Amino acid sequence: MAYFPFFIDLAEKHCLIIGGGEVAYRKIHTLLEFEVTIHVVALDLSEKIKRLKENHPLGEYLIINQREYNEDDFKGVFFVIAATDDIAVNHKIAQICKDKNILINAVDQKDDCSFYFSSLIKKGEIIAGISSGGNSPVLAKNIRKKIEECIPDYYNDLNKQMGEIREYVKQRIKTQNERKKCLEEIFRLGDKRKRKLTNKEIVDIIQRYK
């Protein structure tokens, strides 16, 4: 079954990660970039996770409890990641989540998941996620690498600029069709010059569509 790729604002949402090993570390490292509050519960915590709390620029979003999990940990949680090395424990966590209608990702246990982590490309606000439906993370990773090579670094600056000028273009160009053509031309020139455009370059393009 194919899974629909929602893009969700995770800022200020709450995530519970049960487990403190390498897999948990990778999930935490990825999620911190999206400013989600992460509560990690595990008896055994890797030093890498502890260092994330201390050294990551967004380490304030990480809450660590070195103990066994309990049902109170699930209160107010948007999604859960079961990342222990015990299949039975992960399955039990998944059942609790399903009973409470909480999204669950049980690592390497496809039947216990209600969502998957995609193989992620992130360049600023440009995000692409590749999923194999849980069948082959190796395949998803290799597809991700091929796509990543097609996204130049300057796209991040150009993307920001396109977002900043949308309202300006909307106010000055009356029809939707002309606005679309204008924005396409701005992007093409930025792509050609491999950078964001100067204010003069943008104004010159807009003048042609007024």
Side-chain angles (χ1 to χ4, degrees):
M1 179 179 68
Y3 283 69
F4 188 83
F6 275 112
F7 285 84
I8 300 174
D9 180 6
L10 290 179
E12 300 185 10
K13 298 257 187 329
H14 290 261
C15 163
L16 171 63
I17 297 180
I18 301 173
E22 181 63 26
V23 173
Y25 167 79
R26 292 199 302 268
K27 304 299 186 188
I28 295 164
H29 193 273
T30 297
L31 287 167
L32 280 175
E33 299 295 327
F34 295 88
E35 299 183 15
V36 56
T37 299
I38 305 169
H39 182 196
V40 181
V41 178
L43 279 173
D44 297 313
L45 281 164
S46 72
E47 290 301 315
K48 291 171 75 173
I49 292 176
K50 293 176 182 177
R51 286 197 296 270
L52 273 180
K53 173 68 177 174
E54 297 171 2
N55 301 327
H56 195 283
L58 297 172
E60 64 193 86
Y61 290 96
L62 183 57
I63 301 164
I64 296 174
N65 286 115
Q66 195 161 355
R67 58 169 172 77
E68 291 186 351
Y69 76 91
N70 59 62
E71 291 221 17
D72 286 342
D73 293 325
F74 296 84
K75 292 179 180 177
V77 169
F78 184 60
F79 66 98
V80 173
I81 300 170
T84 78
D85 56 6
D86 188 317
I87 292 174
V89 172
N90 289 346
H91 177 71
K92 183 179 179 181
I93 294 166
Q95 289 302 120
I96 292 171
C97 290
K98 289 174 182 178
D99 290 343
K100 295 178 179 291
N101 292 316
I102 299 172
L103 292 168
I104 173 67
N105 177 265
V107 177
D108 291 331
Q109 292 172 224
K110 181 178 178 180
D111 291 342
D112 283 323
C113 293
S114 59
F115 78 96
Y116 297 125
F117 270 80
S118 61
S119 188
L120 197 66
I121 300 165
K122 185 177 187 297
K123 294 191 176 184
E125 292 184 34
I126 299 172
I127 307 290
I130 310 301
S131 173
S132 64
N135 293 310
S136 177
V138 172
L139 175 62
K141 182 179 179 181
N142 277 274
I143 295 171
R144 185 206 75 207
K145 288 180 179 179
K146 291 180 180 180
I147 294 175
E148 194 165 17
E149 292 171 359
C150 300
I151 305 175
D153 290 338
Y154 66 85
Y155 267 23
N156 182 38
D157 287 338
L158 190 54
N159 178 54
K160 285 183 182 178
Q161 185 174 57
M162 296 295 290
E164 290 166 356
I165 66 172
R166 282 180 67 87
E167 189 60 33
Y168 183 81
V169 170
K170 188 175 181 180
Q171 290 173 358
R172 283 156 181 78
I173 301 175
K174 293 181 179 180
T175 70
Q176 184 176 355
N177 188 50
E178 291 298 294
R179 287 197 296 269
K180 180 181 177 182
K181 289 179 181 178
C182 177
L183 289 168
E184 286 175 347
E185 185 173 343
I186 291 169
F187 168 75
R188 284 196 301 270
L189 184 60
D191 197 23
K192 180 180 179 180
R193 296 184 176 174
K194 295 180 170 49
R195 58 167 171 79
K196 65 180 184 179
L197 301 185
T198 65
N199 289 339
K200 182 179 184 306
E201 288 169 329
I202 292 171
V203 170
D204 286 346
I205 292 172
I206 291 172
Q207 289 296 328
R208 293 200 286 272
Y209 290 92
K210 291 180 71 172

